[in-house]
Amino acid sequence: MRMAETMQKRLEELKRQRHAVILVHNYQRGEVQDVADYLGDSLGLSQQAAKTDAETILFCGVHFMAETAAIICPDKTVLVPDRHAGCPMANMVTARELRKVKADHPNAVVVCYVNSSAEVKAESDICCTSANAVKVLESVPEDKEILFVPDRSLGEYAAKQTGRNVILWPGYWPTHHRILAEDIRRLRAKRPDAEVMVHPECTGDVIELADHVLSTSGMVRVSRESSSREFIVGTEVGLLHRLRKENPDKAFYAATPLSDCPNMKLNTVEKMVWSLEDMQYEVTVPEEVAAGARKAIERMLEFA
Ligand code: CIZ
């Protein structure tokens, strides 16, 4: 038996022993996606975490996603295969910094992108993901100021879509900012029939060139439903594995190979096996923080 098959078999055994479910984000390595029980974006995975009967959740993504699962499911054991898989954008705002800005805008509603720490969520009124940011902004009463943290690009995009006046935090995801307008123009010239889909975390000049501005779940849907045969994809390159697998008769071109997140790629099938063998690395959130964060996440889930 090949090594990869041995590992997959062992993972199946451990899953049964540990009553575990495997949640995998769309940006993970192809071989990790292939052993998922559920594959999706952070919103979809949060919903799966909320309804699973499993005792253990093995979360393959980055730290804030596993933290969200731990907040929603305090009675379950949430494990990550690699504890160093973090998110640079989530580190661009701390609860202390947010409290300071809130003090200057005491009536503002704080909308917090899920790509943030539990402490920051606990300081926020409502969370959102890239899939529902526009709906969440629309839900804020017109007479209220909105403070959006930490992703400036997503906040700017959602503000434009809703016409709302939004105070933006200067955070960003380096992986999406590596996609340049020039990349899109060059590929469009080469593939004139391709539809261009980009993520709302991209910079404004990239967004302006796109046919669709979508979360990863939106890209999965449009790729399936569209009659186009070719797509230029402006997001983290891990998603292309899923798009190609689900649409073998269509062609997908990464806007740039540089849009490759090193944190997302830290998880491997071997580390998943070790994680369930040793029941590590457990992600926990102190209840005094989790209680506030849970309210903001639960409000977001109403806009799923
Ligand atoms: O919300 C998520 O899961 C992220 C980080 C991207 C997306 O659009 O799925």
Side-chain angles (χ1 to χ4, degrees):
M1 205 185 294
R2 285 172 42 233
M3 181 67 175
E5 284 166 33
T6 312
M7 281 293 165
Q8 282 166 17
K9 204 163 156 257
R10 181 76 185 123
L11 193 62
E12 283 302 319
E13 275 167 20
L14 285 163
K15 243 171 58 176
R16 278 193 297 276
Q17 278 171 25
R18 304 297 194 195
H19 303 283
V21 67
I22 298 179
L23 304 186
V24 175
H25 191 267
N26 285 328
Y27 292 153
Q28 293 286 290
R29 290 171 183 272
E31 63 269 26
V32 173
Q33 295 189 26
D34 291 345
V35 293
D37 291 313
Y38 298 100
L39 176 62
D41 62 4
S42 57
L43 180 60
L45 296 177
S46 305
Q47 290 169 305
Q48 288 301 336
K51 64 183 185 208
T52 184
D53 293 331
E55 288 166 20
T56 303
I57 297 174
L58 179 58
F59 207 117
C60 302
V62 291
H63 188 262
F64 75 82
M65 297 177 183
E67 227 180 29
T68 304
I71 292 165
I72 301 176
C73 314
D75 53 332
K76 303 200 188 304
T77 304
V78 178
L79 303 175
V80 290
D82 190 313
R83 67 190 147 162
H84 300 295
C87 172
M89 188 206 296
N91 297 337
M92 290 179 190
V93 56
T94 64
R96 190 154 167 261
E97 289 164 338
L98 178 54
R99 276 195 295 273
K100 265 194 184 163
V101 178
K102 276 171 63 174
D104 294 336
H105 301 274
N107 294 318
V109 171
V110 181
V111 179
C112 168
Y113 191 26
V114 278
N115 302 28
S116 53
S117 67
E119 289 79 7
V120 166
K121 289 185 177 78
E123 287 291 333
S124 303
D125 295 296
I126 182 165
C127 289
C128 73
T129 68
S130 45
N132 66 8
V134 170
K135 279 195 210 162
V136 168
L137 251 59
E138 280 168 350
S139 76
V140 177
E142 296 265 337
D143 59 332
K144 290 277 185 192
E145 221 178 3
I146 299 171
L147 171 58
F148 192 96
V149 294
D151 186 15
R152 183 182 186 89
S153 301
L154 177 63
E156 206 166 63
Y157 171 73
K160 268 196 193 146
Q161 294 299 303
T162 55
R164 296 300 302 264
N165 200 6
V166 176
I167 305 161
L168 299 167
W169 197 269
Y172 64 99
W173 195 33
T175 300
H176 274 146
H177 279 212
R178 281 187 205 121
I179 300 170
L180 305 179
E182 187 44 38
D183 295 321
I184 307 290
R185 283 197 205 96
R186 187 176 31 82
L187 270 174
R188 247 204 206 286
K190 236 168 120 181
R191 311 274 175 197
D193 296 332
E195 280 187 47
V196 178
M197 312 188 280
V198 308
H199 198 275
E201 288 177 15
C202 291
T203 54
D205 56 346
V206 168
I207 287 178
E208 267 176 32
L209 296 173
D211 298 312
H212 309 279
V213 182
L214 297 163
S215 64
T216 58
S217 52
M219 291 186 191
V220 167
R221 180 177 40 77
V222 166
S223 304
R224 188 175 53 234
E225 292 173 358
S226 167
S227 57
S228 292
R229 317 304 298 166
E230 293 186 300
F231 298 86
I232 294 164
V233 184
T235 192
E236 208 280 342
V237 292
L239 181 69
L240 275 87
H241 176 80
R242 176 168 183 185
L243 297 180
R244 288 176 179 143
K245 194 169 165 185
E246 292 183 4
N247 305 279
D249 53 339
K250 298 183 180 180
F252 296 91
Y253 309 105
T256 168
L258 300 179
S259 186
D260 190 356
C261 171
N263 287 292
M264 285 284 179
K265 302 298 155 21
L266 284 175
N267 297 321
T268 62
V269 175
E270 287 82 353
K271 288 181 192 172
M272 292 168 73
V273 168
W274 301 331
S275 183
L276 285 180
E277 271 178 353
D278 300 338
M279 291 300 280
Q280 65 180 16
Y281 301 92
E282 187 171 0
V283 175
T284 55
V285 180
E287 188 47 34
E288 62 274 20
V289 175
R294 195 174 295 121
K295 277 192 206 146
I297 295 167
E298 281 171 356
R299 289 186 68 195
M300 166 186 85
L301 292 174
E302 291 167 23
F303 297 91

